Amino acid sequence: MKNIYFMGECMVELRAMSAATLHQSFAGDVYNSAVYLKRSFPQVATSVVTALGQDNLSKKMLERFESEQLDTQFVFAHDSKVPGMYYIETDAFGERSFTYWRSDSAAKKVVSFLNTDVVKQLSQGDMFFFSGISLAVIDENAREDFWRVVKQLKSAGVKIVFDPNYRARLWNSVDETKTQYDLAFGLADVTLPGVEDLETLYDVHSVEDVIEYLKIYNIDEIIVKNGPESVITQLDNTLQSHTIIPVTNVVDTTSAGDAFNGVYLGARLSGKSIADAVQLGAKAAGAVIQQPGAIAPKDVFQLAMGKAGI
């Protein structure tokens, strides 16, 4: 059985149902990807690596992980911190905006739990996934330890997967971000950037610019997402362009990229070609953006993926 570890933050999601009513759920970029991977490819062992608290919301979040059949052996319980929280609003075009309460969340402390025994177990994995948000959230003074862990995993043969997923408000400066991303790209075997992720950081404005910029890192597998327009992939220096059929009924774009990432990686771990993996990832993203919130109802999502041949 193939396995993958997703390291990052899951938060409490609040979404307005009416002027006086909020819907509460759980979401976060790496968690969303893990959910959509597991729903589409149940044969892939999918684990979340994060830290929660010992409060009731943390317990409910853990129960949600388990209900999605995610492995939780590396979901750690901090003795004094609690999960972060965000409020999401969407406009008439499905574009979203967020208000966050996460500056002291338990997930910031996750690296402190990655002791020798944990790293040894993670070293048995096939893939280790983290994002730019994962990097931004962890304590700055823990980043050196984090990179030490990533290097150990790579040396053990684990494929390192990085999604830049740039959120400017989470970083102190562009220079700080670029320093951390340089380390991430330098260790990545697979990367899944969106063009908009890298525009501000590296002054790249097209898929071709992104591919050209990433050449210096010798990354084996590059998947560049360009919104609803197309996906360009590079595998072992072979470029492919993949046409994506856009969705017209856009309700909420919150986790389109997360769904793509999860299903793409699940497909690759399951032996699918890069072209098939892109189409399945795009199908997942298209299904998700037609539903409100980061996590689409399971029956709706699996119906859509069933039609895609999974």
Side-chain angles (χ1 to χ4, degrees), residues 45-66:
T46 307
S47 303
V48 178
V49 182
T50 193
L52 308 181
Q54 298 184 26
D55 55 289
N56 284 334
L57 276 174
S58 291
K59 292 172 184 175
K60 290 179 180 179
M61 189 182 289
L62 185 63
E63 290 171 0
R64 181 66 58 83
F65 291 177
E66 292 169 345

Side-chain angles (χ1 to χ4, degrees), residues 226-271:
N226 193 20
E229 297 177 19
S230 64
V231 173
I232 300 291
T233 59
Q234 179 175 288
L235 178 64
D236 298 329
N237 295 315
T238 299
L239 278 174
Q240 282 185 275
S241 178
H242 310 264
T243 301
I244 304 301
I245 299 173
V247 170
T248 55
N249 178 37
V250 177
V251 174
D252 184 347
T253 60
T254 300
S255 60
D258 306 335
F260 179 94
N261 288 352
V263 173
Y264 177 88
L265 294 172
R268 296 293 285 150
L269 283 166
S270 300

Side-chain angles (χ1 to χ4, degrees), residues 32-107:
N32 303 341
S33 294
V35 166
Y36 291 124
L37 188 159
K38 190 63 177 180
R39 287 182 179 182
S40 302
F41 297 96
Q43 73 275 17
V44 176
T46 307
S47 303
V48 178
V49 182
T50 193
L52 308 181
Q54 298 184 26
D55 55 289
N56 284 334
L57 276 174
S58 291
K59 292 172 184 175
K60 290 179 180 179
M61 189 182 289
L62 185 63
E63 290 171 0
R64 181 66 58 83
F65 291 177
E66 292 169 345
S67 75
E68 292 286 355
Q69 308 301 310
L70 301 176
D71 188 287
T72 60
Q73 64 175 317
F74 302 119
V75 176
F76 306 103
H78 196 280
D79 57 7
S80 62
K81 305 295 183 182
V82 297
M85 181 180 295
Y86 71 95
Y87 172 63
I88 182 171
E89 298 173 281
T90 53
D91 64 20
F93 303 100
E95 289 301 322
R96 69 270 196 233
S97 60
F98 304 91
T99 304
Y100 291 99
W101 299 267
R102 77 195 309 179
S103 60
D104 194 33
S105 70

